Amino acid sequence: MIWRKIVESALVSIGGQGSLGEIYKAVEAIQTGRSSALPRSWQAIVRRELEHNSSDSQSYQGRFDLFYSVEGIGSGVWGLRSAETGTPVALDIGEPEPQFARIETYRILRDTEMARRVKKLHNNTCQICGNSLKLQGSKTYAEAHHVKPLGSPHYGPDVASNIITLCPTHHVLCDYGAIALDSAALRSVNGHAVSQHYIDYHNTVIVNSCR
């Protein structure tokens, strides 16, 4: 058996991203009914294949860059690079600006690679209200909010612990410091934890500066 292929198939079967526990269950499901039984050390083999085939890992073998780590090596949440999808693009993107019109930028939506991974982990569901916008077909939409903003003068980091998934309404409210955040009230999923340090920054710096 080619373990790299088995792990790849397991990730595909769970939607392209999941915790180690979910990956283990998917591997077991794939191997059920096959003539070859799982070896005693099969879970260690799965972890080895993830790390050997991910450029995020120091153990990367330099051949197949198939997997990524959502929060960094050791977090236990892995994804399949080929299953990554971009955020749906609005229909008015690319339209020419009207002549002589004054354009002001008042908000910036930053859709980084890490932001997309966190949104996928939460299935595009707002961590405050639990809503997910339904688009055409089976597509859903949410926005990633950097709790400590990336830009000047805050210079927050683009890491999973500084990102929450929000609906557009709650994203605007957080951007403008109109609401405080409570880490205990945020909806959570296995493999993603928001740092209290960044929550405190939002509540003390962002909220207070907007009053």
Side-chain angles (χ1 to χ4, degrees), residues 3-183:
W3 276 98
R4 183 184 72 254
K5 294 288 188 181
I6 293 173
V7 175
E8 192 174 3
S9 297
L11 275 163
V12 169
S13 73
I14 59 175
Q17 185 172 282
S19 66
L20 273 175
E22 292 168 327
I23 296 170
Y24 292 154
K25 288 180 182 178
V27 169
E28 285 184 302
I30 289 171
Q31 290 302 107
T32 298
R34 292 190 176 184
S35 57
S36 57
L38 287 168
R40 185 174 300 178
S41 60
W42 70 271
Q43 292 184 342
I45 296 173
V46 169
R47 294 193 299 273
R48 180 200 68 195
E49 291 302 311
L50 288 166
E51 295 190 10
H52 282 190
N53 295 288
S54 171
S55 59
D56 294 341
S57 170
Q58 292 183 348
S59 301
Y60 178 46
Q61 300 298 293
R63 293 186 63 200
F64 305 102
D65 192 14
L66 302 175
F67 313 117
Y68 64 81
S69 173
V70 174
E71 285 198 273
I73 302 302
S75 70
V77 179
W78 290 87
L80 187 63
R81 293 193 191 279
S82 63
E84 289 192 277
T85 56
T87 300
V89 178
L91 296 178
D92 61 352
I93 297 294
E95 289 183 358
E97 302 291 355
Q99 259 190 320
F100 309 115
R102 178 181 176 181
I103 306 298
E104 285 191 28
T105 301
Y106 57 91
R107 287 182 68 234
I108 298 174
L109 297 181
R110 291 184 170 89
D111 195 43
T112 66
E113 185 178 76
M114 181 58 72
R116 291 191 294 273
R117 291 174 180 177
V118 171
K119 289 191 295 181
K120 183 177 178 66
L121 200 58
H122 287 272
N123 292 316
N124 282 330
T125 299
C126 179
Q127 288 183 251
I128 293 178
C129 67
N131 289 333
S132 178
L133 294 185
K134 309 297 182 186
L135 304 181
Q136 288 185 346
S138 59
K139 292 181 179 179
T140 56
Y141 177 82
E143 295 174 356
H145 175 67
H146 288 84
V147 182
K148 183 177 182 180
L150 296 182
S152 173
H154 310 287
Y155 300 110
D158 184 33
V159 295
S161 59
N162 187 38
I163 297 173
I164 55 177
T165 301
L166 298 176
C167 65
T169 298
H170 280 110
H171 194 185
V172 170
L173 293 173
C174 285
D175 273 353
Y176 284 97
I179 56 173
L181 294 173
D182 179 0
S183 56

Side-chain angles (χ1 to χ4, degrees), residues 191-205:
H192 178 230
V194 183
S195 169
Q196 186 62 46
H197 169 73
Y198 301 126
I199 296 287
D200 291 342
Y201 187 92
H202 172 86
N203 293 339
T204 57
V205 177

